[in-house]
Amino acid sequence: MAIQKVRGTNDFFYNETKKLKQIESYFHSFAKIYGYEEIRTPVFEYTELFTRGIGEETDIVGKEMFTFTDRGERSLTLRPEGTASVVRAVIENSLLNERSVNKLYYMGSMFRAERPQKGRYRQFNQFGVECLGTDSPYADVEVMLLNINILSHLSKEYGSAALSDISLEINTVGCEKCKPEYEKALKEYLKPNLDKLCATCRTRYEKNVLRVLDCKVPSCKEVLNGVPAVYDYVCCECKDSFDKVKESLDGVSQKYRVNNMLVRGLDYYTKTVFELQCRALGSQNAVAGGGRYDKLIGIFNNGKDVPAVGSAMGIERLMLILEDSSLAQTEKSLDVFVVAFKETEAFSISMLEKLRRSFIECDSDLNVRSVKSQFKTANKYNALYSIILGPDEVNSGKCVVRNMADGSEEKVDIENADKYLLMKLAR
Ligand code: AMP
């Protein structure tokens, strides 16, 4: 039997890769506009980084990590998310001492053993940003606006109605001082209806009660109707921070919705959390999410806390939303297509190399089919010019350059074909 891809993974080629690269170029540009620089970290880390960082009781650590033992009997894990790795790298490379604020972004594959479905994969790509070294609520807003700006520009550029229908959901989950207050209140509220909660939520009730708020099971949702809002329980500092986030969003006329049920799946969040939701995505409707994590760095930094905020956007989800838009619908494009004959095949290869050394995008039919088929391919690839290199041309030292748009042809010295084409291409 032919070997197939592993369930929950994706192949990207031709138009899909183009779409991916267009999206990635947006990430690079906007990250730069907002003052972020790129960081690249390994795709696997010591397992402990994630168990300690993300939290033993989270779904990710509890059941979704791809963990294996290496030959030295060390436990390694394919990264399920990017923040823990960035935090590790920043501490390990002493970046926290060098700059008061480190603003870093990454792009890359994450791995989670989730049940695959549309928009949920086992290997997927994220664009993430991390702003480390400040507790300013304006940093939270900056992160949100960076994500929103990317989405709104993509939606405009590619005419995607679905992508313009994005809702910014925000909430606060409090800090280590006030979170326990709310957890206590939530437990009291849920206690009389414990039997109505799903089995997972009954475990969450004991181990990580905030996660009950996230449950999509109808019976749990019903119990949660009328649940106390976390904002009413958080301390003055958290309230003040959240109020500043709201004021600042109002200040730039950015719409948002305070969603009391938003807690997000990772343990490390404190204060502000947010999600960008897109209705068109159906059940997996979050395209990006993030929040503040003021206690995470301390876990790996000998207890010395450094406030930070970050976000991650799912690239495959974005591609799903943009599926029907004009994004990357074009075929390959070329400056020059070299039409060769069997007798001149070797010569055509040196012509291609000559052009490529002048940064002219060119290609040929490596199977050297009929001239008619080669012109068809040149048209398919949207070549601007073609060069005909038959035996007569090679012998006479002059090739034919055809303008593919109007069919006009000119005889050009083979020796100077690169310079002639550079002039024609206005480079
Ligand atoms: P998280 O790291 O869970 O906060 O997720 C951030 C974003 O990554 C989500 O909003 C999704 O767009 C994307 N994402 C998370 N998990 C998956 C997955 N299994 N497959 C595809 N995208 C995902």
Side-chain angles (χ1 to χ4, degrees):
M1 202 182 80
I3 297 175
Q4 297 184 329
K5 64 179 159 56
V6 175
R7 206 160 91 90
T9 63
N10 289 299
D11 298 314
F12 297 101
F13 46 87
Y14 294 137
N15 267 337
E16 288 297 296
T17 337
K18 242 179 250 168
K19 205 196 260 190
L20 199 59
K21 279 166 65 178
Q22 285 174 336
I23 292 173
E24 285 172 356
S25 75
Y26 265 77
F27 293 151
H28 288 300
S29 311
F30 276 90
K32 193 159 190 298
I33 288 171
Y34 279 79
Y36 283 80
E37 290 188 62
E38 190 175 5
I39 181 167
R40 297 188 189 196
T41 61
V43 292
F44 56 88
E45 301 268 1
Y46 289 117
T47 302
E48 201 189 342
L49 177 72
F50 304 116
T51 47
R52 281 171 60 194
I54 302 171
E56 304 262 9
E57 302 309 332
T58 57
D59 285 352
I60 292 182
V61 172
K63 47 188 188 194
E64 294 170 1
M65 293 206 303
F66 284 103
T67 296
F68 57 99
T69 309
D70 75 359
R71 288 162 203 242
E73 296 298 312
R74 283 162 300 224
S75 178
L76 303 179
T77 293
L78 295 182
R79 63 179 180 198
E81 56 102 59
T83 305
S85 301
V86 172
V87 165
R88 189 227 6 99
V90 161
I91 296 171
E92 190 170 341
N93 295 290
S94 308
L95 302 184
L96 294 169
N97 310 331
E98 284 173 21
R99 290 175 168 82
S100 116
V101 175
N102 281 276
K103 292 172 72 169
L104 297 164
Y105 77 97
Y106 59 83
M107 254 185 262
S109 290
M110 307 295 156
F111 306 84
R112 294 183 196 171
E114 296 198 77
R115 194 142 47 86
Q117 64 181 82
K118 196 171 179 190
R120 197 205 271 164
Y121 309 104
R122 292 188 165 174
Q123 175 173 350
F124 58 98
N125 289 282
Q126 283 187 335
F127 161 72
V129 302
E130 313 293 349
C131 177
L132 309 109
T134 176
D135 62 2
S136 166
Y138 303 114
D140 307 9
V141 174
E142 200 177 83
V143 168
M144 292 177 201
L145 293 175
L146 161 57
N147 281 282
I148 292 166
N149 246 318
I150 290 174
L151 298 183
S152 67
H153 276 263
L154 275 170
S155 112
K156 263 190 228 131
E157 178 124 4
Y158 299 105
S160 162
L163 196 54
S164 60
D165 190 17
I166 294 273
S167 158
L168 168 62
E169 312 270 312
I170 61 170
N171 196 18
T172 174
V173 291
C175 62
E176 87 277 16
K177 282 178 274 168
C178 55
K179 211 184 211 174
E181 280 295 305
Y182 179 65
E183 284 170 338
K184 206 168 118 208
L186 187 56
K187 277 192 163 178
E188 266 163 35
Y189 171 84
L190 293 172
K191 205 170 182 180
N193 289 310
L194 258 185
D195 54 333
K196 296 199 185 100
L197 295 181
C198 70
T200 317
C201 279
R202 285 201 295 274
T203 313
R204 286 173 177 156
Y205 178 88
E206 296 301 337
K207 297 188 165 165
N208 189 355
V209 67
L210 279 188
R211 298 278 289 120
V212 175
L213 296 177
D214 231 8
C215 190
K216 305 277 185 292
V217 175
S219 56
C220 296
K221 278 182 142 175
E222 204 170 300
V223 173
L224 290 167
N225 247 332
V227 71
V230 61
Y231 182 80
D232 296 331
Y233 290 80
V234 297
C235 63
C236 295
E237 193 190 317
C238 290
K239 264 199 178 121
D240 182 54
S241 172
F242 195 56
D243 290 343
K244 285 211 171 79
V245 166
K246 288 187 285 185
E247 277 163 28
S248 177
L249 287 170
D250 291 333
V252 292
S253 308
Q254 174 58 51
K255 286 201 191 100
Y256 58 87
R257 189 173 81 96
V258 176
N259 178 347
N260 294 324
M261 310 294 259
L262 187 71
V263 287
R264 319 236 335 108
L266 298 92
D267 267 4
Y268 53 58
Y269 287 116
T270 49
K271 295 186 177 166
T272 317
V273 289
F274 75 94
E275 225 166 65
L276 287 167
Q277 298 178 354
C278 176
R279 258 180 283 270
L281 277 176
S283 65
Q284 302 299 316
N285 68 353
V287 65
R292 179 156 280 290
Y293 50 94
D294 291 346
K295 303 296 288 180
L296 177 63
I297 297 178
I299 298 176
F300 302 106
N301 196 30
N302 297 323
K304 193 169 169 282
D305 288 330
V306 176
V309 57
S311 69
M313 187 182 290
I315 299 180
E316 284 78 1
R317 297 231 179 128
L318 199 48
M319 288 175 76
L320 274 178
I321 307 174
L322 291 169
E323 208 157 54
D324 303 325
S325 75
S326 60
L327 187 65
Q329 290 303 316
T330 52
E331 251 297 348
K332 157 165 165 172
S333 68
L334 274 186
D335 293 328
V336 178
F337 190 90
V338 175
V339 177
F341 292 63
K342 272 285 173 219
E343 305 91 298
T344 59
E345 194 182 354
F347 194 88
S348 75
I349 297 300
S350 42
M351 170 62 92
L352 284 162
E353 187 54 24
K354 184 184 174 80
L355 299 179
R356 287 168 180 161
R357 285 180 186 177
S358 294
F359 300 100
I360 293 172
E361 291 173 15
C362 54
D363 211 347
S364 69
D365 175 7
L366 289 167
N367 289 327
V368 198
R369 292 168 306 156
S370 70
V371 170
K372 196 173 159 201
S373 309
Q374 291 191 54
F375 272 115
K376 254 195 191 160
T377 310
N379 276 323
K380 188 162 179 253
Y381 289 173
N382 297 306
L384 298 172
Y385 293 90
S386 61
I387 294 182
I388 302 145
L389 267 189
D392 290 348
E393 282 79 15
V394 173
N395 287 336
S396 68
K398 282 187 185 294
C399 61
V400 176
V401 176
R402 181 185 291 185
N403 179 327
M404 296 298 285
D406 60 18
S408 61
E409 293 186 343
E410 259 185 83
K411 280 203 165 200
V412 176
D413 280 343
I414 288 177
E415 193 60 29
N416 295 323
D418 52 346
K419 292 183 197 77
Y420 173 82
L421 281 158
L422 281 175
M423 189 224 0
K424 284 286 185 190
L425 292 162
R427 303 224 180 106

